[in-house]
Amino acid sequence: MSAGRLDRTKGLAMPALSRKSAPILVVGGSGFLGCNVADSFLREGKDVIVLDNLSRAGVERNLEWLVDNHGSAVHFVLADIRELAEIEPVFKEAEAVFHFAAQTAVTTSLDEPIDDFETNARGTINVLEAARRANRRAPVIFASTNKVYGALADMAMNAVGDRYVPVDETPRRYGVGEAQPLDFCTPYGCSKGVADQYVLDYAKSYGVPTAVLRMSCVYGPRQFGTEDQGWVAHFLIRALAGEPISVYGDGKQVRDILHVGDAVAAYRAVLSSIERIQGRAFNLGGGPENAVSVAEVLREIELLTGRRLMTVRSDRRIGDQLFFVADTRALQEALGWKARTAWRAGLRDLHAWLLQDWIEVSKAQRQPRRVTA
């Protein structure tokens, strides 16, 4: 399926379905995490509606990949969650809704706070309203962020080697739990935090079976990372291209990185148990076993690529947490979920996919163009 053949008609009604069972609706289904979740259901023979406005660079290729692999089981709707009238018809037959559509960059939110709000806050309440009005009690599972906890400036840190480590034993041993007070910081943190709370409230106020996953850093195949979002993939992409990598701060910031396969498993587990856990928010990340500093990831990329990396140092950015590791014990206890992919193995997987993707793109670019009179 070529980009030129994508149906760009906006505001489509519910697409015709090829199967008898109700479809899974993935909002933002052409994005990195959305397309991987969609693929997991499509491989089981489910129909999937992919609702996306295709605004992010590279996501058309994810949509083409889904259609190339699953054909007519993929039902694409070009629509924008900021427009309730556009998206509402699509929810009428959905069995379940995964909501990944978002403005994802802190830097963009600082430059364009109104647009950030319209997408993340208003867009999410539109998704919730569309699900509620469909009157099917379809679960809505929302991708939130660890940024709802703010910069964690009150968490005392020690610099140990090339990483920051909390002084307090509990976060040092287990990570940051859901009991951590919400502390929205930056327009992005505010807009995602508002959405997070609306999703939880729709379970209380309207009985919509909802759940929230507050994600740390997810990485893996189909991710076209940028400097502002998807930093692990971005680092690898820059390294493979022989281009300099921007490092904001001293590189000792710590994150627990999570392979996309494990993230998909978590979202599927939440859906399977939604009646039991609805109205709850869970932290989702790689946990202490996959906690790495920026400097450690850079070193591992040098080993993978066999070349010395060029880095450009700048000041730490607004709202950047020195340390965020998700305490995932609540998710483990509720659902039996656990991150299975160790971060070095996951990084190798992403590296291999990027190399293969570059080969495929190069072949496609070398294909002779057909000229018609």
Side-chain angles (χ1 to χ4, degrees), residues 1-3 5-6 39 42 60-74 222 360 364:
M1 177 178 179
S2 68
R5 287 161 52 195
L6 292 179
D39 177 65
L42 289 161
E60 285 191 0
R61 291 172 56 197
N62 288 338
L63 178 58
E64 292 164 9
W65 170 70
L66 288 174
V67 173
D68 286 344
N69 282 280
H70 304 290
S72 61
V74 181
R222 313 303 318 173
E360 292 174 359

Side-chain angles (χ1 to χ4, degrees), residues 251-307:
K252 296 181 181 182
Q253 301 97 312
V254 170
R255 299 291 184 271
D256 59 325
I257 61 177
L258 180 69
H259 189 270
V260 68
D262 289 324
V264 170
Y267 278 91
R268 296 288 303 263
V270 169
L271 177 61
S272 296
S273 300
I274 192 65
E275 292 299 329
R276 181 165 51 83
I277 63 168
Q278 60 183 300
R280 292 183 63 182
F282 297 93
N283 289 348
L284 174 63
E289 299 85 355
N290 294 292
V292 292
S293 69
V294 170
E296 288 171 313
V297 171
L298 289 171
R299 281 204 304 272
E300 192 67 20
I301 290 174
E302 287 186 331
L303 293 174
L304 283 173
T305 60
R307 66 177 68 168

